[in-house]
Amino acid sequence: MEKIRIRVNGNEVEVSPDKTVLQVLKELGIHVPVLCHYEPLMPQGSCRICVIEDRGVLKTACTTPVEPNMDIKTDTPSVINSRKLVLKLLFSERNHYCMYCEVTGECELQDLGYEFGLDHFEFPTYERRFPVDNSHDFIMIDHNRCVLCRRCVRACSEIAGHYVLGEMERGIDTMIIADMNLPLGSSSCVSCGLCAQVCPTGTIIDKRASYLGRELQSDIIYSNCDLCPVGCGLEIYKKKGANFIIKIYGDWNSDVSYGVLCKVGRFLSLYDNKERVKGIRLKDEFGYRRIHEDDLLSLIKSKLNNAIAYVDGSLFNEELELIRELFKDKVYSIYPTESPIPTNINLKDLDNGSFFVVIGVDLNREYGTVGSFVKRNVIGKKAKLMVVDKGFNSLAKIADYVFNIKDLGLALDILKKEKEIIVIYKSLSKDEGKILESLSNARFLHLPLETNTVGLQKLRIKHDKVSAENVFIFGRNLEGIRDLPIENSFTLIFTPYENNQLYKGDVIVGVNDGFEREGTFYNLEGKKLRKEKVLKPAYDVIDLKTFLSYVLGKTEKVS
Ligand code: FES
């Protein structure tokens, strides 16, 4: 692209014509304050903090494209005075008494106040009171802190695809609202939490993170969520010197989720209060008694002959490989691992989809990030959507077509007419698979049952029900034990969470999980992702990978 010439603060520069003034100034290393602007969102130009002067006219840098012969000045008295006036008015409009605000110390409005040397309120302040909405499980909205930048509204629609937040009224009466002005907790909000991540002030806050600490007091760790096979990118704020996580943000640089998270990855992973299995227990005639690690090791050695292993898809590749090494080819998956039609599309490609077929899964409830990708294209870019399910599916209200799964054959006429369709499915019967495979215009995204189902596929660990004298069971989700033929076996169960099925075990061993564990897994696209260890285990549990390595004689230390 041919460059154009402009002047910036008296210097001639050549720049690309497809940029905004803000982008050009940033590339030149010239600081321009912003407030409503937020890089992943479409520029809006509402706050006017970023004004610059071009040939005597004040313009917003974030929304003005560069054009030939511009003469941009960023530090004239009129630029500085205009920015200051905007800031003084913003500070006066609602309640911005920073010392009483939860986000003081990491508020972008407060930072601007310091940058422009505001040391007092010049105009009457806080004349109107606005409501505080504490109806939501994870998020609180204090409208008194709102600067109406609408970052939350844009993030909720453009990025997360939920289109829950909007606004009502005008001028100083403007309010950010959910749906048709419902309390957030009663609205159609799916708790992805992106609004709280992009809010520049203390308006929308993550309740759990409140008062736990500031970003400056945090170690930031980049990782991937291992609670479903999407594997969203996480930006984890761990309190420095402490063993807890303050909050989790979506990682904008993730090449899986591109900043999006669902309720599970952002909130539930930190609220986890499932009861943990602690220590090592051996069943005898009186019930279970605690035994030492050394006793467990000798027991394992005596039980490895005539032994098989069952695993679930929560295990990382490294753990699965060690289990494979220990049990050779006698490793079976507790749950199905097959993809009826293999995935041949990336999550990123969903943004170019023009017709989505979602089968047997409610993407507002499961695989939420995939739901965001679909919804932002269906609602935002007018892509078509067909929902095929057995019963209620909350995506149906935005769908162009809704079919019962038993009528899938009837949908074929519609699907064949489309140039290209993207089929997203969780499970399919053989017949349904055949119908869909006959479509030459279709690409497929399989939503596997478990986090590392693709890892199980790659290691050729298949779902089967096999009995043996000694059975070792490893995994997080062990409800499936009820279907395994283990009544006559000596059974050793390695798991992080209590479950009624565990009491079929002769030995129960507590293992690490969540942010206590590290390793790699393959997500639904087949990308190898890494989960980092962030916390020390708070319980008496073994590190499964280290323990298996020790049993195999690969390490000298057991934990
Ligand atoms: Fe440009 Fe708000 S940052 S108008």
Side-chain angles (χ1 to χ4, degrees):
M1 191 177 291
E2 210 171 308
K3 301 227 168 179
I4 56 169
R5 295 182 80 78
I6 62 169
R7 283 172 78 80
V8 176
N9 291 338
N11 301 314
E12 288 242 334
V13 285
E14 282 197 337
V15 298
S16 299
D18 58 343
K19 302 248 159 93
T20 63
V21 171
L22 183 65
Q23 286 167 329
V24 164
L25 294 175
K26 205 170 160 194
E27 280 171 14
L28 294 171
I30 297 171
H31 169 67
V32 177
V34 294
L35 189 58
C36 67
H37 186 72
Y38 192 81
E39 203 54 75
L41 306 173
M42 293 290 286
Q44 172 180 264
S46 63
C47 76
R48 308 194 71 79
I49 281 289
C50 68
V51 287
I52 48 88
E53 200 176 317
D54 172 29
R55 292 161 285 183
V57 180
L58 290 178
K59 297 177 177 174
T60 49
C62 67
T63 51
T64 306
V66 282
E67 57 183 45
N69 306 321
M70 274 185 143
D71 186 6
I72 295 166
K73 296 192 175 98
T74 61
D75 52 6
T76 61
S78 94
V79 166
I80 303 300
N81 289 338
S82 169
R83 291 176 183 171
K84 252 185 173 171
L85 178 63
V86 164
L87 207 51
K88 286 173 185 172
L89 289 167
L90 278 174
F91 265 98
S92 303
E93 197 165 89
R94 297 196 184 182
N95 178 355
H96 299 296
Y97 288 92
C98 299
M99 64 283 254
Y100 300 122
C101 178
E102 199 288 311
V103 302
T104 187
E106 56 187 22
C107 167
E108 293 178 42
L109 182 69
Q110 188 182 33
D111 289 347
L112 288 168
Y114 282 117
E115 184 179 335
F116 285 90
L118 301 197
D119 53 11
H120 63 283
F121 293 105
E122 200 160 309
F123 305 111
T125 65
Y126 197 37
E127 303 227 309
R128 303 239 350 252
R129 291 195 180 217
F130 290 84
V132 176
D133 181 349
N134 195 22
S135 60
H136 193 279
D137 287 342
F138 308 112
I139 297 163
M140 189 183 85
I141 306 183
D142 181 351
H143 293 276
N144 298 286
R145 306 277 184 201
C146 184
V147 289
L148 298 174
C149 66
R150 298 165 181 86
R151 282 191 195 177
C152 54
V153 178
R154 284 176 283 155
C156 184
S157 49
E158 288 168 21
I159 309 266
H162 303 308
Y163 293 82
V164 173
L165 297 180
E167 57 201 276
M168 68 173 193
E169 302 292 358
R170 308 190 67 177
I172 59 165
D173 295 326
T174 307
M175 286 267 296
I176 299 301
I177 55 166
D179 294 336
M180 299 296 278
N181 196 20
L182 290 177
L184 191 65
S186 318
S187 72
S188 58
C189 169
V190 297
S191 307
C192 79
L194 192 60
C195 52
Q197 177 168 337
V198 301
C199 178
T201 67
T203 309
I204 306 185
I205 59 170
D206 171 351
K207 289 195 211 178
R208 183 195 161 278
S210 300
Y211 304 104
L212 289 183
R214 298 275 168 262
E215 293 184 12
L216 275 175
Q217 300 165 293
S218 309
D219 292 319
I220 300 177
I221 299 132
Y222 292 91
S223 184
N224 290 92
C225 178
D226 69 335
L227 293 173
C228 97
V230 181
C232 295
L234 307 176
E235 189 175 286
I236 302 170
Y237 291 77
K238 176 189 169 283
K239 182 85 172 250
K240 280 191 171 110
N243 196 34
F244 67 85
I245 293 169
I246 297 172
K247 64 185 173 189
I248 296 177
Y249 277 177
D251 176 7
W252 294 113
N253 294 319
S254 158
D255 64 357
V256 174
S257 49
Y258 306 90
V260 180
L261 279 184
C262 75
K263 169 166 86 173
V264 179
R266 189 185 301 272
F267 297 120
L268 293 185
S269 58
L270 296 177
Y271 279 81
D272 194 355
N273 48 11
K274 281 191 279 178
E275 191 164 349
R276 296 295 296 262
V277 174
K278 295 160 204 147
I280 306 163
R281 284 171 279 168
L282 171 69
K283 185 151 69 177
D284 60 20
E285 65 269 37
F286 305 111
Y288 285 95
R289 66 183 163 87
R290 292 284 279 258
I291 59 167
H292 190 264
E293 238 165 42
D294 293 341
D295 300 325
L296 174 66
L297 283 164
S298 3
L299 192 62
I300 288 176
K301 283 187 183 144
S302 72
K303 298 289 179 191
L304 280 174
N305 281 334
N306 305 321
I308 60 165
Y310 280 106
V311 293
D312 78 359
S314 72
L315 297 179
F316 290 143
N317 297 324
E318 296 75 13
E319 295 158 341
L320 290 171
E321 275 159 16
L322 291 167
I323 292 169
R324 274 280 297 263
E325 205 173 327
L326 203 51
F327 296 90
K328 309 291 180 268
D329 54 353
K330 293 184 208 142
V331 183
Y332 306 94
S333 169
I334 302 171
Y335 304 103
T337 59
E338 300 76 34
S339 295
I341 308 176
T343 291
N344 55 9
I345 189 169
N346 285 324
L347 288 172
K348 197 175 192 325
D349 298 332
L350 300 186
D351 270 335
N352 300 319
S354 56
F355 195 114
F356 295 93
V357 186
V358 177
I359 304 178
V361 59
D362 188 337
L363 295 176
N364 280 323
R365 296 187 180 165
E366 294 180 89
Y367 312 90
T369 297
V370 179
S372 286
F373 279 69
V374 171
K375 285 162 66 182
R376 70 191 187 193
N377 285 287
V378 170
I379 306 174
K381 295 194 204 158
K382 306 274 180 277
K384 287 192 205 152
L385 173 65
M386 177 185 287
V387 172
V388 184
D389 213 332
K390 284 192 186 88
F392 174 78
N393 188 317
S394 66
L395 283 187
K397 67 175 179 231
I398 57 163
D400 300 87
Y401 308 96
V402 180
F403 281 90
N404 191 296
I405 187 83
K406 64 179 168 31
D407 300 326
L408 183 62
L410 300 177
L412 275 187
D413 283 346
I414 299 169
L415 298 179
K416 279 180 186 158
K417 282 189 200 133
E418 294 297 321
K419 195 159 161 247
E420 186 177 86
I421 61 170
I422 296 173
V423 180
I424 300 171
Y425 73 95
K426 190 172 171 187
S427 63
L428 292 175
S429 68
K430 274 205 177 117
D431 287 346
E432 290 154 7
K434 266 190 200 154
I435 292 175
L436 291 165
E437 270 182 315
S438 72
L439 290 164
S440 55
N441 59 347
R443 289 194 288 167
F444 295 92
L445 180 68
H446 176 218
L447 306 175
L449 208 54
E450 300 182 277
T451 303
N452 200 16
T453 297
V454 176
L456 293 171
Q457 289 171 355
K458 283 185 191 285
L459 283 171
R460 299 184 202 291
I461 295 175
K462 297 217 166 98
H463 173 53
D464 207 343
K465 289 177 188 166
V466 178
S467 56
E469 188 181 327
N470 301 310
V471 174
F472 289 68
I473 300 175
F474 302 92
R476 179 197 289 155
N477 171 19
L478 297 186
E479 269 301 315
I481 290 181
R482 75 172 76 239
D483 301 322
L484 301 180
I486 57 172
E487 304 79 34
N488 303 316
S489 311
F490 186 87
T491 306
L492 301 95
I493 301 175
F494 296 74
T495 189
Y497 302 108
E498 287 287 345
N499 177 315
N500 285 339
Q501 299 303 317
L502 298 191
Y503 296 94
K504 291 184 175 159
D506 298 283
V507 177
I508 303 172
V509 183
V511 301
N512 55 344
D513 194 30
F515 297 102
E516 306 156 358
R517 203 163 69 113
E518 64 186 350
T520 63
F521 62 98
Y522 291 97
N523 81 339
L524 46 74
E525 305 165 287
K527 280 190 180 134
K528 193 173 187 179
L529 304 177
R530 185 167 174 79
K531 169 93 186 271
E532 300 296 341
K533 179 172 176 173
V534 179
L535 302 176
K536 292 189 207 102
Y539 307 101
D540 174 15
V541 291
I542 62 163
D543 180 291
L544 186 60
K545 189 175 81 177
T546 315
F547 185 79
L548 290 167
S549 300
Y550 184 81
V551 173
L552 281 160
K554 291 173 180 266
T555 56
E556 305 223 319
K557 278 188 166 175
V558 70
S559 53

